[in-house]
Amino acid sequence: MKIRDVMSKDVQVARPEDTLQNVAGRMAAGDFGFIPVADGDRLIGALTDRDIVVRGMASGAGPEARVLDVLSRDALVVRADDDLKVALDLMSSRQIRRLPVVDKDGRLVGVVSLGDLSTRVKERYAGEALEEISRPQG
């Protein structure tokens, strides 16, 4: 099974010029804590609710600060044509719950989350990934 078979395709996207307040409001309204950041259809990073608070607010950025100022530029990605095991292994090894999905040309085409995997693949594999993701780092 490929990542494209389980990923979410209808994904909210933030733009680099969006304000933190705007994106935080969208996150609150949609009840999500992760959003890919794209310039056109090119992924340039990702933003989490934790990025807004820890990297943004803790450093003195106000609600009018731009997403570009606090986004994580080194967002890990998977390709839509990768096997599911690639996403599961990456999520487990890096203890992350969501990954942007890009096509062969590097364009953002979706997001795959642990929730996507747990509802669409064998429970054993998703359970193992959740256990690894949740393991305390030491």
Side-chain angles (χ1 to χ4, degrees):
M1 191 176 265
K2 302 293 184 186
I3 291 172
R4 71 175 159 265
D5 300 323
V6 300
M7 71 182 188
S8 298
K9 296 174 185 162
D10 185 25
V11 177
Q12 293 261 343
V13 176
R15 302 294 174 195
E17 65 277 3
D18 289 343
T19 66
L20 296 182
Q21 183 173 25
N22 172 275
V23 174
R26 289 170 50 202
M27 287 177 163
D31 193 28
F32 55 89
F34 168 91
I35 191 166
V37 181
D39 188 6
D41 62 358
R42 297 285 175 198
L43 182 73
I44 61 170
L47 187 71
T48 65
D49 47 6
R50 189 173 191 280
D51 291 331
I52 293 171
V53 174
V54 174
R55 189 174 298 140
M57 300 299 147
S59 68
E64 296 304 316
R66 296 177 311 146
V67 165
L68 185 62
D69 299 330
V70 298
L71 67 90
S72 295
R73 289 185 180 273
D74 56 350
L76 298 171
V77 301
V78 289
R79 290 184 39 172
D81 58 353
D82 285 341
D83 288 325
L84 289 180
K85 185 158 176 33
V86 171
L88 287 167
D89 289 347
L90 191 54
M91 289 172 154
S92 294
S93 67
R94 298 296 185 95
Q95 293 189 306
I96 53 178
R97 297 175 187 272
R98 297 161 297 256
L99 291 166
V101 180
V102 296
D103 67 11
K104 64 181 174 53
D105 297 317
R107 291 184 299 247
L108 180 67
V109 294
V111 169
V112 65
S113 70
L114 188 58
D116 294 328
L117 296 171
S118 69
T119 60
R120 297 184 179 121
V121 299
K122 292 181 181 175
E123 292 81 13
R124 185 181 112 221
Y125 299 116
E128 290 171 3
L130 178 58
E131 183 178 329
E132 290 297 318
I133 292 166
S134 301
R135 187 181 315 258
Q137 293 182 343

